[in-house]
Amino acid sequence: MDKIETLKQWVAESRRIVFFGGAGVSTESGIPDFRSVDGLYNQKFEYPPETIISHSFYLNKTEYFFRFYREKMLPLGYSPNVTHKVLARWEQEGKLQAVVTQNIDGLHQKAGSKTVYELHGSVLRNYCQWCGKFHSAEFIKESEGIPQCACGGIVKPDVVLYEESLDEKTINKACEAISNADMLIVGGTSLTVYPAAGFIRYYEGNRLVLINRDETPYDRWANLVIHDSLGNVFGRF
């Protein structure tokens, strides 16, 4: 039996699937990732991208931060791909319990997924740092310089920057879902970004599936490893 057939059989037999995904889930929708050849880390800016999207840079060079953010980190106008759609369908069928994602693009929800734990936040949520008023991603995109609320406060994206901690409530729910899963599918992530990558250690079952083009540090722990694109794999469902 080939690996995809094994995966299909496991999916058919499982009732509490959790999907843990990274940038590779959204690259097939056209959104560039950070670490690939033409990803953000290999583009030329005055500062390294990981410096620009840090909390201290945001505080000290706020206008530059927003210039970079608008140009490179506001993935608006993209559509869910086959992976997003299949996961949403599994949830509707009662097979999939949750999606845990490192992505900030909101495409899982756009595809119809309801239970999505966004470890690194979302570009679709933006709040005034003074009065707390919600603002859309379009508001940020269309504003100039530093986006400001009517009250005069800076409108900050609800995205976890470097040097910032993950939301504790989201972490707890994600870890609980993973620990209760009868099958954990990890896809489109190099599993090198912590603390997120360490979450899969909460899985105690015997159906840990890793789907990624390249090898990951967790391949030897997995019960099934598929080195392929997510589109090729989920396109079979």
Side-chain angles (χ1 to χ4, degrees), residues 23-32 77-84 105 107:
V25 178
S26 293
T27 49
E28 290 176 45
S29 288
I31 298 174
Y78 291 92
S79 299
N81 58 52
V82 65
T83 303
H84 298 109
D105 50 50
L107 288 182

Side-chain angles (χ1 to χ4, degrees), residues 9-203:
Q9 185 178 330
W10 287 5
V11 168
E13 293 169 354
S14 300
R15 288 293 174 271
R16 294 190 312 282
I17 301 170
V18 170
F19 179 84
F20 181 97
V25 178
S26 293
T27 49
E28 290 176 45
S29 288
I31 298 174
D33 69 356
F34 275 57
R35 290 177 172 78
S36 65
V37 177
D38 46 359
L40 281 182
Y41 284 163
N42 293 302
Q43 296 179 20
K44 297 290 178 276
F45 296 97
E46 288 174 60
Y47 308 92
E50 59 265 48
T51 299
I52 301 172
I53 52 176
S54 67
H55 182 74
S56 51
F57 193 95
Y58 170 80
L59 291 179
N60 297 318
K61 295 184 184 292
T62 311
E63 191 161 354
Y64 192 104
F65 168 87
F66 276 107
R67 201 162 79 226
F68 176 88
Y69 181 81
R70 284 189 194 95
E71 189 182 330
K72 298 295 178 188
M73 293 188 63
L74 261 184
L76 304 180
Y78 291 92
S79 299
N81 58 52
V82 65
T83 303
H84 298 109
K85 291 172 183 173
V86 169
L87 292 170
R89 190 177 80 228
W90 287 353
E91 185 185 50
Q92 288 156 9
E93 293 170 353
K95 288 188 158 301
L96 185 120
Q97 295 297 296
V99 169
V100 180
T101 181
Q102 298 174 78
N103 296 337
I104 57 176
D105 50 50
L107 288 182
H108 283 293
Q109 292 92 327
K110 206 171 180 181
S113 289
K114 300 282 187 280
T115 306
V116 182
Y117 300 124
E118 297 170 306
L119 299 177
H120 298 149
S122 171
V123 299
L124 303 181
R125 296 188 299 270
N126 306 274
Y127 298 99
C128 172
Q129 292 188 280
W130 282 2
C131 73
K133 183 183 176 187
F134 171 87
H135 293 269
S136 69
E138 288 74 19
F139 173 86
I140 302 286
K141 187 84 171 174
E142 291 159 14
S143 61
E144 292 183 8
I146 300 170
Q148 286 187 307
C149 180
C151 77
I154 297 174
V155 179
K156 184 179 185 288
D158 188 14
V159 169
V160 179
L161 304 177
Y162 286 102
E163 304 164 357
E164 293 180 347
S165 55
L166 305 187
D167 178 70
E168 205 166 317
K169 198 183 290 185
T170 306
I171 290 175
N172 291 340
K173 286 182 176 177
C175 292
E176 185 182 1
I178 290 169
S179 64
N180 290 329
D182 59 3
M183 180 177 182
L184 177 62
I185 303 175
V186 180
T189 172
S190 57
L191 291 174
T192 54
V193 177
Y194 285 84
F199 288 12
I200 68 172
R201 293 177 184 160
Y202 285 88
Y203 178 64

